[in-house]
Amino acid sequence: MKYARRKIVAGLALTATCLGWAGMGWAQAANKEPLKFGLAMPLTGSQALFGADQAKAAQWAVQDINAKGGVDGHPLEMILLDTQADPRLGINAVNRLVNVDKVPVFGTAWSAVVKAVAPIANRSQVLGLSVGANSPEIAKLGDYVYTTYPLADVDVVAQARYARETLKKERAAVLYIHNDSGVEGAKIYRDAFESLGGKVVAYEAYDAQSTDYTGALLKVRTSNPDIIHIQGLVSDLPQVIAQIRQLGIKQPISTYSAGYNPKVIQQLGAAAEGLMVSALAPSAEQNPRIAEFVERWKKTEGRIPNGLPYTQYLYDMPYLIADLYGHLLKNGKPLTGANMREALVEVANFDLPMTGKLQVSADHRVKKPVYLFEVKNGAFAPVATVE
């Protein structure tokens, strides 16, 4: 599989267009102008393990769409740039997508990056899609910024409610990484848990660059909670949980959708038992297409993807963009960012292959059920679904 190399911007730039076309799909789409969109993700740096897999999922979706003739015969073209999950590099990448590549729509992730590039989307009237970031502030970033991924006040509130109402926990400790995602998610959990009559007995931050969390964890141990909730990133969660268990802290642990990742279980081994996580997309048992998706990873990459269900949302993003392009073509409207935004609001309801039905609301949020899992015998076992 080959991708056309472009001049490197902020680390890496790639285009994914007519890969894997066959038969009538190639003949039909090769005669029409490509429909461009951008994707800015961490392809290098500390978050590359996850960002690269998410980008690959989006590339596969472009392949699959184009193999079936593209959008009304137009090939879909994705311009992929590296952000390293760094807001400054994110700004560089999105400026390139908007001002040089002239895309009318782009996707990105990681809350700090989404916030940093929002002014570019609004100023340029280009539709910006947040695909995987979960800061609640994303819903308030302006007219041209929308999320395709439920924000933290969806699954984090569900976790707090499950801890209080189902597990009957009275005392919670909250650990969080000191960045936008962690700070805001931790506050949501604390407020929700306390609004339900519980008490947060420890509320401790840890540095994003740290590898030793002993100071914060000893305060958690001293507070003697009934449950520990962690708002971290997929990269640091296993280390935090491992150190909790190494310090002899035995209370149950919950976390949000970042923990719904088979690699977490692989890294932690027995220490993962009992971990409670939330997921914002169906599992392979709940959607046969997910099983096919995972098998595709095993066949082509020899492993499962890093960061399920985020990779599912990234696979679905090109399908959503294809629907927006199709709506504009059908109605004879110019393919501008302003019209892309208008199409998103007008269509509003999408049926996507990996994550199912998506409803985009006027308040820039999306509605999705929350699936709760617990690690049992080395695997995620479903325990509840919150609509």
Side-chain angles (χ1 to χ4, degrees):
M1 184 163 52
K2 296 182 179 179
Y3 295 95
R5 294 271 177 179
R6 298 177 64 103
K7 182 179 178 182
I8 293 178
V9 176
L12 183 65
L14 301 171
T15 58
T17 53
C18 56
L19 306 168
W21 293 6
M24 291 302 293
W26 173 280
Q28 183 184 25
N31 295 322
K32 293 192 175 183
E33 182 180 359
L35 303 175
K36 295 181 180 181
F37 72 94
L39 180 61
M41 296 292 286
L43 307 176
T44 60
S46 63
Q47 302 302 309
L49 183 68
F50 307 97
D53 274 11
Q54 292 172 34
K56 183 181 292 292
Q59 289 169 336
W60 282 357
V62 172
Q63 286 181 256
D64 295 345
I65 291 167
N66 287 338
K68 295 181 179 179
V71 183
D72 191 27
H74 293 265
L76 198 61
E77 178 180 343
M78 183 175 80
I79 301 169
L80 175 62
L81 300 182
D82 188 9
T83 68
Q84 295 185 21
D86 183 320
R88 294 168 299 174
L89 295 181
I91 290 171
N92 292 342
V94 171
N95 271 324
R96 162 71 184 255
L97 291 170
V98 170
N99 298 314
V100 178
D101 296 301
K102 304 294 184 182
V103 300
V105 56
F106 68 87
T108 190
W110 275 256
S111 295
V113 174
V114 175
K115 291 182 179 182
V117 305
I120 303 172
N122 291 315
R123 182 173 60 249
S124 305
Q125 294 189 334
V126 169
L127 179 60
L129 299 175
S130 173
V131 191
N134 72 343
S135 167
E137 295 300 311
I138 289 169
K140 305 174 184 177
L141 294 180
D143 288 345
Y144 281 82
V145 180
Y146 283 79
T147 183
T148 69
Y149 189 84
L151 303 179
D153 47 0
V154 176
D155 66 326
V156 175
V157 168
Q159 281 280 14
R161 182 178 295 116
Y162 184 75
R164 277 292 297 135
E165 296 179 348
T166 302
L167 301 181
K168 307 300 182 183
K169 303 299 183 184
E170 299 284 345
R171 298 161 55 87
V174 180
L175 277 167
Y176 61 96
I177 190 169
H178 199 268
N179 64 15
D180 288 348
S181 179
V183 169
E184 293 168 14
K187 183 179 183 298
I188 289 168
Y189 186 93
R190 180 189 65 191
D191 292 351
F193 192 81
E194 291 184 338
S195 73
L196 294 167
K199 182 178 181 180
V200 173
V201 294
Y203 194 71
E204 299 295 329
Y206 58 88
D207 188 80
Q209 306 303 319
S210 180
T211 56
D212 183 358
Y213 314 102
T214 304
L217 298 184
L218 288 176
K219 293 179 181 178
V220 167
R221 186 170 69 179
T222 300
S223 71
N224 192 30
D226 300 323
I227 191 169
I228 301 166
H229 182 77
I230 306 174
Q231 285 291 135
L233 297 177
V234 285
S235 54
D236 56 78
L237 273 172
Q239 290 82 4
V240 176
I241 295 170
Q243 288 185 30
I244 287 174
R245 295 311 187 211
Q246 288 164 8
L247 287 172
I249 303 172
K250 298 181 180 180
Q251 285 91 335
I253 298 171
S254 69
T255 190
Y256 69 116
S257 54
Y260 183 60
N261 183 355
K263 187 170 283 292
V264 171
I265 297 177
Q266 291 176 359
Q267 290 179 276
L268 286 172
E273 285 297 305
L275 175 65
M276 290 172 285
V277 303
S278 52
L280 292 161
S283 66
E285 293 76 20
Q286 295 158 326
N287 180 353
R289 289 179 176 175
I290 309 305
E292 296 170 5
F293 182 66
V294 172
E295 283 304 311
R296 184 174 182 178
W297 278 92
K298 291 178 179 178
K299 182 178 180 180
T300 61
E301 306 298 321
R303 58 178 174 83
I304 57 177
N306 296 313
L308 283 171
Y310 295 97
T311 47
Q312 295 164 235
Y313 277 87
L314 265 293
Y315 181 89
D316 281 350
M317 185 195 67
Y319 281 87
L320 185 149
I321 291 173
D323 284 349
L324 298 181
Y325 266 124
H327 181 78
L328 295 183
L329 291 170
K330 179 181 178 181
N331 290 281
K333 293 185 177 181
L335 307 180
T336 65
N339 285 339
M340 277 284 180
R341 178 190 175 278
E342 182 179 316
L344 182 71
V345 174
E346 286 179 354
V347 177
N349 291 282
F350 302 85
D351 194 0
L352 303 172
M354 293 295 155
T355 60
K357 294 187 182 302
L358 176 74
Q359 180 182 352
V360 180
S361 63
D363 62 359
H364 292 234
R365 298 172 180 270
V366 295
K367 297 178 181 178
K368 283 282 190 180
V370 179
Y371 305 91
L372 300 179
F373 295 83
E374 182 179 343
V375 178
K376 297 180 180 179
N377 299 317
F380 290 113
V383 293
T385 300
V386 181
E387 295 292 339

